[in-house]
């Protein structure tokens, strides 16, 4: 398994993001207020297993100190193998390399597996922020990144 950087325009990243959005729409059951906002400036990492891109996630800068985790997704057939944890760790390192001391994220209240992953990796609940404020299904988390020794 290999984790590598890919541009946001990479067709495999695009395919995974599209799959993630389809799965989210199925999971939320058509809840009102769910809007997909496309962002520029996301730096993506992908997980490649046996030549196939099986997971993705990105980091977007919110400000000099804060990065936001975006579009974390693991193909269903690859879940339960620790891929999400490895990818999350690599994304935290990417955010740190970009100069961020905090990494935050938004997920849906109807996604207990995602919430479990983030909280088990040290993310703590924070108030809903930014574009998510008016979405009653959004829950937000943040983690202070370790300081280099």
């Amino acid at each position: 398994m290999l984790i590598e950087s890919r541009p946001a325009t990479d067709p495999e990243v695009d395919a995974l993001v599209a799959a993630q959005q389809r799965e989210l729409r199925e999971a939320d059951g058509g809840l009102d207020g769910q809007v997909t906002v496309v962002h520029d400036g996301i730096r993506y990492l992908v997980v490649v297993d046996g030549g196939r891109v099986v997971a993705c996630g990105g980091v977007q800068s919110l400000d000099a100190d804060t990065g936001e985790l975006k579009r974390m997704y693991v193909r269903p057939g690859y879940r339960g193998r620790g891929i999400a944890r490895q990818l999350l760790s690599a994304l935290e390192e990417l955010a740190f390399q970009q100069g961020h001391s905090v990494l935050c994220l938004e997920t849906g209240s109807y996604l207990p597996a995602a919430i479990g992953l983030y909280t088990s990796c040290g993310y703590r609940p924070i108030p809903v922020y930014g574009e998510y404020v008016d979405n009653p299904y959004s829950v937000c988390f943040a983690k202070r990144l370790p300081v280099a020794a």
Side-chain angles (χ1 to χ4, degrees):
M1 190 167 53
L2 173 70
I3 297 177
E4 63 185 34
S5 179
R6 294 276 179 97
T9 57
D10 184 285
E12 291 182 286
V13 169
D14 189 51
L16 283 176
V17 169
Q20 179 219 31
Q21 293 302 302
R22 279 192 305 275
E23 192 171 317
L24 287 175
R25 295 299 71 83
E26 291 170 9
D28 73 20
L31 297 171
D32 291 336
Q34 303 295 71
V35 177
T36 300
V37 179
V38 177
H39 296 275
D40 294 328
I42 299 175
R43 293 197 49 204
Y44 281 96
L45 297 179
V46 298
V47 177
V48 181
D49 183 46
R52 182 174 190 212
V53 175
V54 300
C56 71
V59 173
Q60 178 179 12
S61 293
L62 294 182
D63 59 42
D65 296 322
T66 309
E68 182 179 20
L69 188 66
K70 305 295 281 185
R71 308 287 182 246
M72 273 282 293
Y73 183 72
V74 178
R75 290 184 188 278
Y78 290 84
R79 293 178 188 164
R81 301 181 189 184
I83 292 172
R85 285 183 190 282
Q86 290 177 340
L87 178 58
L88 183 56
S89 179
L91 289 163
E92 289 171 356
E93 178 62 28
L94 175 63
F96 180 78
Q97 289 172 2
Q98 290 179 287
H100 301 305
S101 59
V102 175
L103 189 59
C104 62
L105 65 95
E106 180 272 346
T107 192
S109 59
Y110 50 87
L111 298 172
I115 293 168
L117 169 68
Y118 298 131
T119 57
S120 72
C121 289
Y123 287 79
R124 300 291 171 245
I126 61 170
V128 178
Y129 61 90
E131 67 199 56
Y132 313 112
V133 169
D134 293 328
N135 185 334
Y137 308 104
S138 286
V139 290
C140 295
F141 297 86
K143 179 179 181 178
R144 181 156 295 283
L145 301 174
V147 177

